[in-house]
Amino acid sequence: MKKIMNEKLAITTSNPVRARSYEYPRFTYPWHFHSEYEIIYVEKGEGDCLVGDSIISYAKGDLILFGSELPHSMQSPPDSGEEADDGEKTELKVKGVNIQFEKDFMHYSISQYSQFIPIRNLLEDACRGIKFTVSRSGKIIKLLKQIPSAKGADQIILLLSLLQMMATSNHRKYLTTSHYTPSPSIMRNERMEKVIAYLNKHYTESIGLDEIASYTAMNPTAFCRYFKENTGKTFKEYVLDMRIGYACKLLNSSVMNISQISATCGFESPVHFNRIFKRVTGMTPTIYREQME
């Protein structure tokens, strides 16, 4: 299974931002994590990104935000950047902008001032990784390209402007499963906090609607409506996502076979597990494990 590297970045409280443009034949940095937030804009290139407990694709025009301590690795296709038959290097394959900033970047202002609520929520949600599609947003792309060469306060101002645009964008999707870490917005709801806490302990077990609804003092019908309003998913979908998230971790970090993982995660049979896993991730458990090796 993949070993994870703890990357140490040259970022401090007196030098909180590291921004640069990149041009490589291919991405080569291994599976890793760091305490800083990271933004990667893909101006050119395509491939897969390993993030948390998921594998997602990236392409030209994608902007990815990784939260603090979130494991990730950008993967180029196997043949990109290799030598051609005549010994010449093939065309450049990946290009864009990379921005990293400290975990406590402007912590007091962002945590205390109401003007920064959208950015605060964005950074909280980044613990699951977020991908934005900005291929048609000339304003964001222009701003992104200015940040590496900007100096002093100008760079901080540009980064805050970028974070504000990302925070208010409707073209975004979470990268990890809901099990990887519950959405902070859910956890700010006291009743939902009780439900999520219970699910975190018992999601691999058979949970009846009457049982879980009792934690909110609702009948099952009202609970199902309440749950979907707060999570965007039905109760069944949410539990299945948690089980698939756990299965991804076991596929990546254990020697258990598929049948054992299926039973451990609470699926009724390996056939059911394979069907749900492929529906959620787009690949079978076997292929997922092979790609993570």
Side-chain angles (χ1 to χ4, degrees):
M1 301 300 168
K2 284 187 176 293
K3 294 182 178 179
I4 186 166
M5 182 177 71
N6 184 356
E7 184 184 10
K8 303 296 183 182
L9 302 178
I11 290 179
T12 65
T13 53
S14 59
N15 185 29
V17 180
R18 180 185 183 219
R20 59 192 174 84
S21 299
Y22 66 84
E23 291 187 1
Y24 307 131
R26 58 185 285 114
F27 285 117
T28 59
Y29 211 79
W31 180 240
H32 68 286
F33 71 95
H34 40 72
S35 62
E36 296 78 10
Y37 291 93
E38 182 170 14
I39 298 170
I40 293 181
Y41 166 59
V42 182
E43 181 178 351
K44 182 177 183 179
E46 61 181 20
D48 291 325
C49 174
L50 280 62
V51 51
D53 58 4
S54 301
I55 300 176
I56 60 103
S57 62
Y58 68 84
K60 175 182 177 180
D62 285 341
L63 180 66
I64 303 175
L65 171 62
F66 299 112
S68 173
E69 312 290 343
L70 178 62
H72 59 279
S73 177
M74 302 288 284
Q75 307 277 303
S76 296
D79 61 345
S80 65
E82 295 181 348
E83 289 189 356
D85 292 338
D86 58 4
E88 297 269 333
K89 283 288 185 182
T90 55
E91 183 186 358
L92 178 72
K93 292 293 183 180
V94 293
K95 176 181 180 181
V97 176
N98 177 264
I99 304 167
Q100 296 160 321
F101 55 100
E102 68 163 341
K103 180 179 180 180
D104 295 323
F105 175 70
M106 296 192 63
H107 176 72
Y108 182 83
S109 298
I110 290 175
S111 64
Q112 299 295 323
Y113 299 158
S114 61
Q115 293 90 338
F116 286 111
I117 287 176
I119 293 178
R120 182 194 317 160
N121 292 339
L122 173 74
L123 297 181
E124 288 178 349
D125 290 345
C127 60
R128 287 181 58 191
I130 307 173
K131 183 173 79 169
F132 304 80
T133 300
V134 298
S135 55
R136 296 183 179 179
S137 179
K139 188 175 182 180
I140 289 183
I141 294 172
K142 181 179 179 181
L143 193 155
L144 272 163
K145 292 184 175 182
Q146 290 178 315
I147 294 177
S149 60
K151 303 296 181 183
D154 287 341
Q155 188 177 64
I156 301 295
I157 292 169
L158 288 172
L159 177 55
L160 286 173
S161 297
L162 174 62
L163 292 174
Q164 178 66 19
M165 289 182 189
M166 294 167 69
T168 55
S169 171
N170 294 321
H171 304 287
R172 64 159 113 177
K173 63 177 291 187
Y174 289 116
L175 304 184
T176 63
T177 64
S178 57
H179 169 65
Y180 192 79
T181 183
S183 170
S185 60
I186 294 174
M187 298 306 290
R188 286 192 286 268
N189 182 315
E190 186 175 345
R191 283 201 293 186
M192 281 304 300
E193 183 176 355
K194 291 180 180 179
V195 172
I196 299 302
Y198 182 84
L199 291 179
N200 284 340
K201 292 182 179 180
H202 302 284
Y203 65 90
T204 60
E205 305 168 12
S206 177
I207 304 173
L209 272 177
D210 287 331
E211 177 185 7
I212 193 67
S214 67
Y215 281 79
T216 58
M218 296 180 181
N219 63 50
T221 301
F223 169 77
C224 287
R225 183 169 58 250
Y226 170 77
F227 190 91
K228 187 166 186 179
E229 286 174 353
N230 280 272
T231 67
K233 300 178 182 180
T234 66
F235 175 67
K236 182 178 180 180
E237 289 170 342
Y238 194 91
V239 171
L240 283 176
D241 277 352
M242 294 182 80
R243 290 177 177 177
I244 292 298
Y246 185 35
C248 288
K249 289 188 176 183
L250 293 179
L251 287 166
N252 187 36
S253 62
S254 79
V255 295
M256 297 169 66
N257 62 40
I258 302 300
S259 294
Q260 291 171 324
I261 291 175
S262 170
T264 299
C265 295
F267 289 93
E268 60 189 42
S269 70
V271 172
H272 181 232
F273 170 55
N274 274 271
R275 184 173 66 251
I276 299 299
F277 192 95
K278 186 172 183 179
R279 189 180 74 194
V280 173
T281 68
M283 65 187 77
T284 65
T286 300
I287 292 176
Y288 178 89
R289 172 170 268 174
E290 289 172 353
Q291 292 198 18
M292 295 295 284
E293 289 179 347

